Amino acid sequence: MSSLVQHPGHEGERLQRVSDQLPCREVQAGTLLSLMGQPHQYSYPSIFIYGHRSSGKSHVMHVLLKELELPHAPVSCVECVSVALLFEQVLLSFFGADAASLLPRSPSLSDFVRVYRNQCSQCPAEQTRYIVMEKAELLRDAEANLLPALLRLQELVEDNVTVILLSEIVWDKFRPNTGCFEPLLLHFPDYSKGELQQILSHDRHPSYSAEFYSSYINILLGVFYSVCRDLRELRHLAALNFSKFCEPVVEGKVKETDTHKLWRNVEPHLKKAMRTVYLREVSSLQWEQMQQMEEKESGALRGTNTH
Amino acid sequence: MSKRKMENIRLPVGECISQVQEMLRERLCRQKLPDRPEGVEAQHKHLLELLKRTAVHGESNSVLIVGPRGAGKTMLLKCVLRDLQEEKEAHKNLLQVHLNGLLQTDDRIALKEITRQLHLENAVGDKVFGSFAENLAFLLEALKKGDRSSSRPALFVLDEFDLFAHHKNQTLLYNLLDVSQSAQAPIAVVGLTCRLVSPASAAHAAVNAGDVTAFSFTQDVLELLEKRVKSRFSHRQIHLLSNPTFAQYLLRVRTQLSLPGHFPDGEFAVEWNAGVEALCEDKSAEDALRRHFNSSKDFRSMHMLLMLCLSRVSAAKPAITAADLLEASRLSFADAKANMLHGLSILELCLVIAMKHLNDVYEGQPFNLQMVHNEFKKFLQRKSNSMYKFEQPVILKAFEHLQQLEFIRPVDSSLAKTQKEYQLMRLMLDHSQIMEALQKYPQCPTDVKQWAMSAFG
């Protein structure tokens, strides 16, 4: 498996930037790049990428496509409530607004393929075009012919286009009864605890040392890891609770390196967060207000045991 | 072919690999047509004869090409059409209309598409037709050759033929087949379908699995046709039920991966082909290919496997090795659900184990969150670890996450009737999947594992 920073057809500098933006996802990005091949070559007609939420599927795709400046049409199946929106989005991204306006009022798949073919005979693809569809599980609820047609779009429009589906549901639940063109399946594994630690530590606050923030993340993971391994949730919780963690240091009561005391201070707070902010019982704004009120209270009731 | 003698050109490795990638991707991803279709010579000849009769002699025909997905139906048709173009008369005369059941979802759309492909939009203009038949007759009339004596022959290709049978009244099929039976205009109707066996007779076919002949397959797709349509169909069928032996499969793999003689760098091509041959003879590679052969014999899954191998070829490693094939095979056979189970949090995993116990005890009866929580509490009581003592809302969130991943599904889809905690669900995982996932789960606590393996929760 060639390393991420060496792929024919792309500049090394750009690949380096890609690599910097994708910590712990170099292997998956490398696999994707090697499947995509050089921009002018054909790629497999459809690729299905599955993995847990926040495992980096959209992030890796978007970073790759943007940094390497490949023609792509990002489609969110949540937003495209009707197929017309989906078709417009694709035509808009590849051929511009004029092409999108060529679609009739309630376009059928036949209209879409026809317009695409016409446009593509005027501007054929010099590089592989990618259609990236997020939350692809919603396609199952659309018309029965949409998913099979999208999977073989390359053949239907006779153009160098690849459809990439991103989902957290496994492919077995997508397959129609009479079968369809099977896409290439790619799995984005979940982050391990070490990888989560590494990625979360990237968000460190500039005025504190990296070790200090690392110890904070360690404590956070200690409380939340058995319940939640979702990177986005953990980042959110880390950002919200950091000020509470720093409180004793700011007040001068504890040194930065005294992890035990810091842990004792913040752990009950994190447990409380699990019952409230994690469950979205309170919003993050309310949570911050609650924290400020507590600080005022503990300041007012000096000498009394509050917790 | 170039008359120039093949010079001893040597290109740099990177350039060679680039060429290899391009060529092989054309074959594997773009389904480039082979010079000669393998293993289907009889079918090729049959179809070519049929279409020649239409194109050159003006005879009307209808035929159905039947075969499972990935068997090469479209490939066969395209090869025949390509060979047909070499006949001068056919090339001049034959009009082609390609329809696809996925795109042309009803007859109105199909008719518009036919009009467009025959370039008769202007001839039709704003005319309004009384019926489908009138419209079609008009189109065919408009195709008359210069001397007005006879119509030009037209070929109608209907991909996903079975989907056309679901249109209202099967109007399109009826009219096309009607024209092919009467002497109105010379047309050939070629349908491609993968519907071989109806679900009811699937068991029947399974019994006859080893001994497949054209007779023992119930022609399900014909059963879909109305009587009047079926009677107009010529019942001519071309079957692509190739049952290659493993040796033939290996040969196909080798041909797909080999470079042709006109590759720019002759020496590199020879080295590459030697490497491919060595690969096919390697024992571990052969075992991997045998696994794939046993699971599915069609072209497409082979192409997918080879594509995964090809993606591992680079200038630094300019050949496909057995290791590549093994890795590609591993990726193909990976259990998706097991992969997803690996990423669950401990709490979610415990809930899954609790559900498994409920399934074991109550023999697959549906459960709700409350029952699962109680089962989980039994585990907590025994072990006296407060480590997993979570409050009900946190457990509910974990439960909902499992629902989002479709590991559990509500028994009925009535969403808002009952409270979330009391809605009945079913587990979509089976016993062995869960136990296997536990083995692979990173740093799974031993007490959780023991709980899973114990018989009575």
Side-chain angles (χ1 to χ4, degrees):
Chain A
M1 191 68 80
S2 46
S3 79
L4 185 52
V5 285
Q6 275 171 29
H7 265 270
H10 302 292
E11 290 166 17
E13 203 184 271
R14 286 194 191 172
L15 290 172
Q16 186 60 48
R17 277 208 298 274
V18 165
S19 177
D20 293 334
Q21 291 182 47
L22 302 175
C24 303
R25 278 283 169 252
E26 289 91 359
V27 173
Q28 285 70 34
T31 313
L32 263 174
L33 267 182
S34 42
L35 280 173
M36 282 157 51
Q38 289 181 12
H40 66 274
Q41 292 169 349
Y42 270 70
S43 176
Y44 208 73
S46 45
I47 302 178
F48 182 80
I49 303 180
Y50 68 101
H52 281 277
R53 279 167 49 208
S54 313
S55 52
K57 308 182 290 291
S58 311
H59 182 61
V60 169
M61 275 321 306
H62 286 301
V63 165
L64 274 177
L65 293 173
K66 243 182 75 176
E67 286 292 336
L68 302 175
E69 290 178 11
L70 298 167
H72 65 285
V75 172
S76 164
C77 298
V78 181
E79 288 174 12
C80 294
V81 181
S82 73
V83 284
L85 294 168
L86 168 64
F87 299 151
E88 267 175 41
Q89 175 71 358
V90 173
L91 290 174
L92 184 67
S93 309
F94 290 154
F95 305 112
D98 304 329
S101 59
L102 287 175
L103 281 173
R105 202 83 219 291
S106 345
S108 65
L109 197 46
S110 184
D111 295 317
F112 170 62
V113 169
R114 181 178 43 90
V115 173
Y116 192 113
R117 283 179 92 132
N118 286 341
Q119 288 297 318
C120 151
S121 53
Q122 290 163 23
C123 28
E126 290 152 14
Q127 300 182 318
T128 314
R129 295 179 169 138
Y130 295 95
I131 302 179
V132 182
M133 309 188 74
E134 296 182 27
K135 290 271 188 277
E137 58 264 20
L138 296 170
L139 285 176
R140 299 177 297 176
D141 305 326
E143 304 156 5
N145 61 337
L146 185 61
L147 183 60
L150 283 173
L151 292 170
R152 20 163 100 235
L153 195 64
Q154 189 185 85
E155 190 186 318
L156 293 174
V157 300
E158 289 174 3
D159 184 30
N160 190 358
V161 62
T162 292
V163 175
I164 302 187
L165 302 172
L166 308 175
S167 175
E168 60 172 347
I169 312 282
V170 298
W171 176 247
D172 298 322
K173 302 204 191 250
F174 277 73
R175 200 178 282 123
N177 283 339
T178 46
C180 61
F181 186 93
E182 293 280 323
L184 207 70
L185 300 179
L186 204 59
H187 174 60
F188 267 49
D190 43 283
Y191 293 116
S192 69
K193 196 166 180 182
E195 288 173 339
L196 281 176
Q197 174 102 20
Q198 194 186 334
I199 299 175
L200 287 168
S201 306
H202 276 263
D203 290 331
R204 53 174 279 238
H205 204 272
S207 35
Y208 295 96
S209 69
E211 295 85 39
F212 182 66
Y213 198 76
S214 269
S215 55
Y216 169 56
I217 294 295
N218 217 352
I219 298 174
L220 182 81
L221 284 178
V223 174
F224 280 100
Y225 187 71
S226 50
V227 168
C228 164
R229 292 170 64 180
D230 185 325
L231 179 62
R232 261 182 241 154
E233 296 250 25
L234 291 170
R235 277 181 90 179
H236 183 61
L237 289 164
L240 280 182
N241 295 299
F242 187 56
S243 52
K244 179 71 182 170
F245 183 72
C246 298
E247 208 183 64
V249 177
V250 162
E251 289 169 4
K253 285 192 276 192
V254 175
K255 287 205 303 278
E256 275 195 14
T257 48
D258 202 345
T259 18
H260 186 67
K261 287 210 185 117
L262 288 168
W263 176 76
R264 270 221 319 237
N265 174 54
V266 83
E267 204 225 8
H269 190 81
L270 288 176
K271 288 241 154 87
K272 191 160 158 218
M274 193 192 290
R275 294 195 300 270
T276 49
V277 128
Y278 173 62
L279 299 173
R280 306 287 190 275
E281 299 273 330
V282 301
S283 72
S284 20
L285 189 59
Q286 285 172 313
W287 178 250
E288 279 167 353
Q289 285 171 352
M290 276 163 66
Q291 283 185 74
Q292 281 168 5
M293 276 193 22
E294 271 170 27
E295 278 172 35
K296 278 199 224 135
E297 272 176 28
S298 64
L301 298 164
R302 207 168 284 278
T304 330
N305 196 13
T306 46
H307 284 298
Chain B
M1 292 289 281
S2 159
K3 292 235 170 65
R4 219 165 30 140
K5 252 199 288 209
M6 203 168 67
E7 293 161 25
N8 227 352
I9 320 168
R10 292 247 58 182
L11 299 170
V13 176
E15 179 61 32
C16 284
I17 289 296
S18 186
Q19 292 274 358
V20 170
Q21 285 274 353
E22 198 159 330
M23 261 187 211
L24 292 187
R25 272 159 192 267
E26 286 277 317
R27 260 186 225 161
L28 301 175
C29 302
R30 212 177 157 191
Q31 324 286 346
K32 180 162 162 257
L33 300 179
D35 291 325
R36 244 189 320 272
E38 294 165 16
V40 291
E41 285 84 11
Q43 291 96 329
H44 180 94
K45 198 159 158 240
H46 187 181
L47 190 59
L48 186 58
E49 273 309 308
L50 218 65
L51 293 184
K52 245 194 238 179
R53 293 215 294 267
T54 307
V56 178
H57 304 295
E59 229 183 78
S60 284
N61 268 314
S62 55
V63 67
L64 200 57
I65 306 180
V66 182
R69 294 227 177 247
K73 305 182 286 293
T74 317
M75 207 195 298
L76 173 68
L77 181 64
K78 285 196 184 154
C79 276
V80 169
L81 288 177
R82 181 193 56 191
D83 293 340
L84 197 61
Q85 300 289 36
E86 289 170 11
E87 296 263 334
K88 270 205 285 265
E89 262 206 61
H91 178 63
K92 258 196 318 183
N93 279 345
L94 189 67
L95 292 166
Q96 293 185 24
V97 174
H98 291 259
L99 300 176
N100 191 315
L102 287 176
L103 300 179
Q104 279 82 48
T105 42
D106 75 53
D107 293 330
R108 203 179 36 87
I109 301 178
L111 200 51
K112 272 203 242 162
E113 189 62 27
I114 295 175
T115 315
R116 238 175 247 125
Q117 291 197 23
L118 292 174
H119 305 294
L120 291 175
E121 291 106 316
N122 292 328
V124 168
D126 288 328
K127 281 203 184 52
V128 173
F129 295 97
S131 73
F132 189 101
E134 265 182 49
N135 198 338
L136 188 61
F138 177 81
L139 290 176
L140 292 173
E141 181 71 25
L143 293 178
K144 283 217 152 72
K145 282 201 272 206
D147 60 0
R148 302 249 152 225
S149 59
S150 51
S151 270
R152 286 175 68 180
L155 166 66
F156 287 84
V157 176
L158 300 174
D159 219 330
E160 313 279 348
F161 185 81
D162 45 292
L163 292 179
F164 285 103
H166 291 301
H167 292 185
K168 186 164 169 243
N169 290 339
Q170 301 183 350
T171 323
L172 175 71
L173 288 180
Y174 174 72
N175 282 292
L176 278 181
L177 291 175
D178 191 44
V179 172
S180 78
Q181 289 284 48
S182 64
Q184 281 180 49
I187 71 169
V189 180
V190 180
L192 291 94
T193 179
C194 66
R195 290 281 293 262
L196 280 174
V197 189
S198 67
S201 41
H204 177 77
V207 168
N208 294 348
D211 137 53
V212 159
T213 61
F215 307 114
S216 60
F217 274 95
T218 328
Q219 272 89 43
D220 180 47
V221 62
L222 290 186
E223 284 172 19
L224 286 175
L225 297 179
E226 283 180 19
K227 198 163 142 224
R228 59 177 188 153
V229 180
K230 201 185 330 192
S231 61
R232 281 164 174 77
F233 175 55
S234 71
H235 286 75
R236 211 175 273 116
Q237 290 186 35
I238 296 181
H239 289 272
L240 285 174
L241 303 168
S242 63
N243 233 342
T245 61
F246 184 56
Q248 286 171 334
Y249 187 81
L250 264 186
L251 187 60
R252 267 188 212 167
V253 168
R254 194 185 298 191
T255 16
Q256 292 289 353
L257 288 180
S258 301
L259 293 177
H262 57 262
F263 192 75
D265 184 338
E267 263 184 60
F268 182 84
V270 167
E271 271 173 42
W272 174 272
N273 289 343
V276 168
E277 205 169 311
L279 176 72
C280 292
E281 285 163 11
D282 177 287
K283 190 75 184 46
S284 54
E286 202 183 294
D287 288 338
L289 285 173
R290 199 178 281 276
R291 262 186 91 190
H292 274 271
F293 174 71
N294 288 336
S295 104
S296 79
K297 302 183 168 64
D298 61 77
F299 277 113
R300 238 180 248 152
S301 42
M302 186 210 296
H303 283 187
M304 209 192 305
L305 180 69
L306 296 180
M307 181 64 203
L308 284 171
C309 295
L310 181 68
S311 67
R312 294 164 67 89
V313 168
S314 65
K317 193 179 75 67
I320 299 184
T321 61
D324 293 334
L325 193 56
L326 289 172
E327 178 64 21
S329 181
R330 191 187 66 84
L331 281 176
S332 303
F333 282 123
D335 183 0
K337 278 195 184 158
N339 283 339
M340 294 301 278
L341 278 172
H342 189 271
L344 291 181
S345 67
I346 290 271
L347 176 60
E348 287 155 3
L349 193 65
C350 287
L351 290 182
V352 168
I353 297 172
M355 289 180 222
K356 173 186 98 69
H357 280 302
L358 282 177
N359 269 347
D360 289 340
V361 174
Y362 296 110
E363 287 165 2
Q365 291 290 314
F367 47 77
N368 63 25
L369 171 67
Q370 206 54 46
M371 293 162 69
V372 177
H373 195 184
N374 290 343
E375 190 66 32
F376 183 41
K377 276 198 223 162
K378 279 197 236 169
F379 164 63
L380 293 177
Q381 277 163 13
R382 270 190 317 161
K383 295 296 166 180
S384 75
N385 26 15
S386 55
M387 228 179 71
Y388 303 132
K389 210 155 173 26
F390 297 112
E391 308 196 345
Q392 175 96 341
V394 177
I395 303 218
L396 181 62
K397 184 158 175 168
F399 198 68
E400 286 181 336
H401 186 215
L402 288 174
Q403 193 178 349
Q404 215 176 7
L405 290 171
E406 296 194 4
F407 282 148
I408 53 181
R409 261 222 257 144
V411 169
D412 54 15
S413 315
S414 61
L415 292 168
K417 298 290 163 103
T418 41
Q419 268 182 292
K420 280 187 288 190
E421 295 91 329
Y422 303 114
Q423 214 178 10
L424 286 175
M425 307 272 191
R426 276 222 155 81
L427 184 63
M428 308 305 291
L429 301 165
D430 64 54
H431 190 102
S432 52
Q433 274 175 324
I434 300 175
M435 296 316 285
E436 250 188 73
L438 272 175
Q439 296 303 316
K440 298 199 190 122
Y441 193 80
Q443 297 155 341
C444 183
T446 25
D447 48 3
V448 171
K449 263 197 209 164
Q450 280 172 350
W451 176 43
M453 292 195 264
S454 69
F456 292 104

